[in-house]
Amino acid sequence: MMLYILRLTMLVLATLLSTLMLYGQSDSYIKEAKLAFTNGLYQDAVNKYQAGLTFMNNQKVNKNTPQYLQVQKEMMRAKSNLENIKRADALFASKTEAGYKSAKAAYHAVLANNASDRYARQRVLDCDQQIAVIINHRNDEALWATILSESNQAAYERYLKAYPKGLHAEEAKDAIANIEDDAFWSVILSENTDEAFNRYLQSSKVRLHAST
C-alpha cells in the first residue's frame, strides 16, 4: 500500500513538474514576444508568439484554455500592427496629401494597440508636417496666380510679405527690381543728358536699359 502511494505521489509530482516546465518554456516565448511588441518589433513579436503556440500545441495544451486564447489574441494584435505599419509606410511614400492623411490614420491604428511605439508616433508628426508643406505650397501657388494677374509692384511686395521664402520669391524680387529699373529709366529719359545716362549705368541694379 505504501509503495502504491509513493508511486502515485511520484507520478503526480512528475506531472506537476512537466506542467511547470511547459508553462515556463511557453512563458519565455510570450515574455520575449511582449517585449518585441512594446518596442515596435512586430515581426519578431509574431514569430515569438507563434513559437509559443507551436510549443503548446506540441505539448497537447487545450486550445480553449485562457492562456492559449490570450496568446492567440496578442499575436493577432502584433499581426495587425505589422500590417498597418507596412501599409502606412507605403502610403507615406506616395508623397501625396491623401497618402499622408491615410498613412496618419494607419499609424494611429498602430498606436491604439501600442502607445509605446515611438516610430508610429514620430511618423504621425511627419505626416502632419508633410501635409502642412503641401497645403502651404498650394496656397503659395494660388496667391502667385493672383499676383501675376495684377502684375504690379504692390502685388509682388504683397507676395513677398506673405511668403518671404516662397516658391516664387526670387521671381517676385526680380519683377520688383525690373519695375523699379523701368521707373528709374523713365526719369533718366526725362532728363536726357549724358550725366543722367552715366548715373543710370552706375546706379542701376539690373541695368535693363544699359544697351539702349
Side-chain angles (χ1 to χ4, degrees), residues 11 50 150:
L11 179 61
Q50 187 60 64
E150 298 177 24

Side-chain angles (χ1 to χ4, degrees), residues 67-189:
Q67 184 187 27
Y68 193 98
L69 294 174
Q70 182 62 31
V71 173
Q72 280 187 321
K73 180 180 178 180
E74 291 178 1
M75 185 173 71
M76 292 305 297
R77 287 174 62 225
K79 284 184 176 181
S80 174
N81 273 15
L82 179 62
E83 292 171 0
N84 276 325
I85 286 290
K86 289 180 178 178
R87 185 167 67 88
D89 285 348
L91 289 165
F92 189 93
S94 71
K95 297 182 179 181
T96 64
E97 184 176 357
Y100 289 127
K101 287 181 177 179
S102 296
K104 180 180 176 180
Y107 289 127
H108 271 305
V110 172
L111 290 170
N113 280 331
N114 179 18
S116 300
D117 193 315
R118 295 181 180 180
Y119 176 78
R121 190 170 301 282
Q122 180 58 50
R123 280 305 221 181
V124 168
L125 298 177
D126 292 341
C127 286
D128 286 337
Q129 182 180 29
Q130 293 302 320
I131 290 170
V133 169
I134 290 174
I135 293 174
N136 184 69
H137 283 184
R138 184 165 62 237
N139 293 339
D140 186 320
E141 292 289 5
L143 178 58
W144 182 247
T146 300
I147 297 304
L148 289 180
S149 67
E150 298 177 24
S151 192
N152 57 56
Q153 185 168 349
Y156 292 121
E157 288 174 346
R158 189 168 78 251
Y159 173 84
L160 288 173
K161 183 177 181 180
Y163 297 99
K165 296 183 180 180
L167 299 174
H168 304 281
E170 293 304 316
E171 293 174 72
K173 291 175 184 177
D174 289 343
I176 291 171
N178 291 342
I179 291 172
E180 290 177 342
D181 193 80
D182 283 336
F184 184 27
W185 181 246
S186 296
V187 172
I188 297 302
L189 289 180

Side-chain angles (χ1 to χ4, degrees), residues 43-72:
Q43 185 61 68
D44 288 349
V46 170
N47 293 341
K48 292 296 183 180
Y49 281 127
Q50 187 60 64
L53 289 174
T54 299
F55 183 83
M56 294 168 78
N57 288 335
N58 291 339
Q59 297 299 318
K60 310 300 182 183
V61 173
N62 189 329
K63 294 183 179 181
N64 291 319
T65 60
Q67 184 187 27
Y68 193 98
L69 294 174
Q70 182 62 31
V71 173
Q72 280 187 321

Side-chain angles (χ1 to χ4, degrees), residues 1-13:
M1 183 67 178
M2 291 296 296
L3 182 60
Y4 172 77
I5 294 174
L6 179 60
R7 288 179 177 176
L8 182 60
T9 301
M10 291 179 64
L11 179 61
V12 170
L13 289 174

